Amino acid sequence: ALVLGLHAPSPHNTQSWRFRLVSDRECLLFVDPRRLLPETDPPARQIHIGCGTFAEAFVLGASRLGHAARVEPFPMGPYPSPSAVGTLPVARLVLTGERAAPDPLAAFLEARQTSRLPHLEPRLAPEMTARVLADMGAGDAEVTFVPSAGLDPYLELFERAMEVESTTRATNEETRRWFRFDGSAAKERRDGLTFEANGITGTRAFFARLFTSDTEASWNAKGTIEKGLASFREAVRATSAVAFVTTGQNGHDAHLAAGRATMRLMLAATRHGLFTHPVNQILQEYEAMRPLREAFEARTGVTAPRKIQMILRVGRTPRPFLTYRRHAGDLFVRG
């Protein structure tokens, strides 16, 4: 069940999960503090959403094996301080001992992929988004699709947010640290980002590798940034649908709930031959993003304590690049 959970997505493909086995039916899930994103995700909100996607994938994977499972958030209580992330378990994952019928979404765990490619026409009809929502089922987070007629102003905001992230040195450097510039590095480390995973394939990927090196000067050069932004704009401007995942509060327990809902949304989309692409730059909590984030919140009308936790492009694309996952044996805490 844990291995099936590894098909879950995570921010920057950090896969910041660690497990401590308690028994053959129970384990504790921790954030790996070595895999945080302090520049783009200062409160570790997105990291905990990633833990939520893993937890839901674990429950679904267990059901496919015939086992009922449950997730107990923060079984030892909340972190005593923000700096304590990773010291206490995010969740207790339990196989209850009862039999369970496979959840229909569990069949799509391996098929789910993130696609940063432009969506194929036409935009998704309301009937299709309604089917995706119905297949998700109920959860502790609200999922809504933006009406097609109101989509374009949001797409412009998403483009501007990516420009802020890419031109802010600290956040762009954090992306570089998680970027695997060649195939051998990606295969060896089995995490992080690649040109192909960012929708830059074929001849474009060849030239991207030829003219971009893993140095601060090369990565932050105006030409490098503009090429990355051009690829992002191309994808965002060809967007079929956008979904928001919203919670009533904004603590780490809400982040877990948002992650679980996001996992189900992604799998429900996969069931209908669709791909998803998180575009969360505008939600991030570092200072340079604040003006755009506040403009986005004003447009949506979603303000504290409510929080839009995830934004996903949803649509049809050619099959994207399949990213690596770390080996399960490397994720267990011993002792």
Side-chain angles (χ1 to χ4, degrees):
L2 291 172
V3 169
L4 287 171
L6 296 180
H7 290 285
S10 57
H12 278 33
N13 194 24
T14 54
Q15 303 170 57
S16 52
W17 308 308
R18 295 193 301 172
F19 316 108
R20 177 175 289 140
L21 286 178
V22 177
S23 70
D24 60 352
R25 289 186 178 177
E26 181 179 332
C27 83
L28 297 175
L29 169 63
F30 293 80
V31 167
D32 187 338
R34 300 166 299 178
R35 292 174 169 269
L36 299 176
L37 300 169
E39 301 297 339
T40 52
D41 185 30
R45 179 182 61 82
Q46 294 178 98
I47 288 290
H48 284 83
I49 291 173
C51 288
T53 65
F54 176 87
E56 186 62 25
F58 161 80
V59 170
L60 293 168
S63 81
R64 203 168 85 184
L65 301 170
H67 294 280
R70 69 173 183 266
V71 178
E72 302 172 4
F74 292 94
M76 297 182 182
Y79 302 123
S81 68
S83 63
V85 169
T87 61
L88 294 175
V90 169
R92 178 183 285 115
L93 308 178
V94 181
L95 299 177
T96 66
E98 300 173 352
R99 302 297 292 173
D103 187 304
L105 296 181
F108 302 96
L109 282 167
E110 292 93 340
R112 183 215 63 81
Q113 290 178 250
T114 295
S115 178
R116 297 174 175 86
L117 298 171
H119 291 164
L120 303 175
E121 291 287 350
R123 287 183 171 179
L124 296 188
E127 294 79 10
M128 175 58 76
T129 58
R131 285 199 289 271
V132 170
L133 292 175
D135 286 348
M136 277 187 61
D140 293 331
E142 176 188 1
V143 179
T144 55
F145 278 88
V146 178
S148 180
L151 193 55
D152 290 342
Y154 287 112
L155 302 182
E156 181 183 350
L157 284 172
F158 302 158
E159 289 182 30
R160 291 169 60 192
M162 178 58 91
E163 183 175 353
V164 169
E165 182 176 295
S166 300
T167 57
T168 301
R169 180 63 66 100
T171 54
N172 201 43
E173 274 295 283
E174 186 166 79
T175 299
R176 180 174 71 89
R177 288 192 288 273
W178 283 96
F179 210 90
R180 311 302 174 229
F181 285 81
D182 60 67
S184 59
K187 186 174 182 179
E188 177 183 352
R189 302 185 68 171
R190 307 188 69 82
D191 63 4
L193 305 168
T194 62
F195 289 114
E196 288 81 2
N198 277 282
I200 302 172
T201 58
T203 303
R204 292 171 66 189
F206 172 80
F207 283 106
R209 288 194 173 90
L210 187 64
F211 294 108
T212 309
S213 61
D214 186 9
T215 65
E216 184 173 353
S218 175
W219 183 253
N220 290 280
K222 182 178 179 180
T224 303
I225 291 172
E226 186 48 49
K227 286 183 175 64
L229 288 174
S231 179
F232 183 81
R233 291 189 196 106
E234 179 185 10
V236 167
R237 291 177 184 179
T239 293
S240 293
V242 166
F244 295 156
V245 180
T246 306
T247 56
Q249 302 291 328
N250 193 29
H252 285 322
D253 52 348
H255 304 157
L256 290 181
R260 296 188 68 177
T262 297
M263 187 77 256
R264 296 190 67 85
L265 170 62
M266 290 177 164
L267 293 172
T270 302
R271 185 178 191 178
H272 291 281
L274 306 172
F275 293 99
T276 55
H277 170 205
V279 283
N280 294 314
Q281 290 77 20
I282 204 164
L283 302 177
Q284 294 170 164
E285 292 93 342
Y286 57 93
E287 181 59 25
M289 192 62 73
R290 182 176 56 80
L292 273 180
R293 187 178 67 250
E294 291 177 350
F296 172 75
E297 291 170 349
R299 174 168 286 277
T300 62
V302 178
T303 56
R306 300 182 71 224
K307 170 75 173 178
I308 294 177
Q309 303 286 0
M310 290 287 289
I311 305 170
L312 298 104
R313 298 173 61 242
V314 184
R316 295 180 178 86
T317 76
R319 183 158 295 279
F321 179 79
L322 188 63
T323 57
Y324 287 100
R325 288 296 182 270
R326 299 168 66 201
H327 296 296
D330 296 335
L331 303 178
F332 287 93
V333 178
R334 309 299 177 184

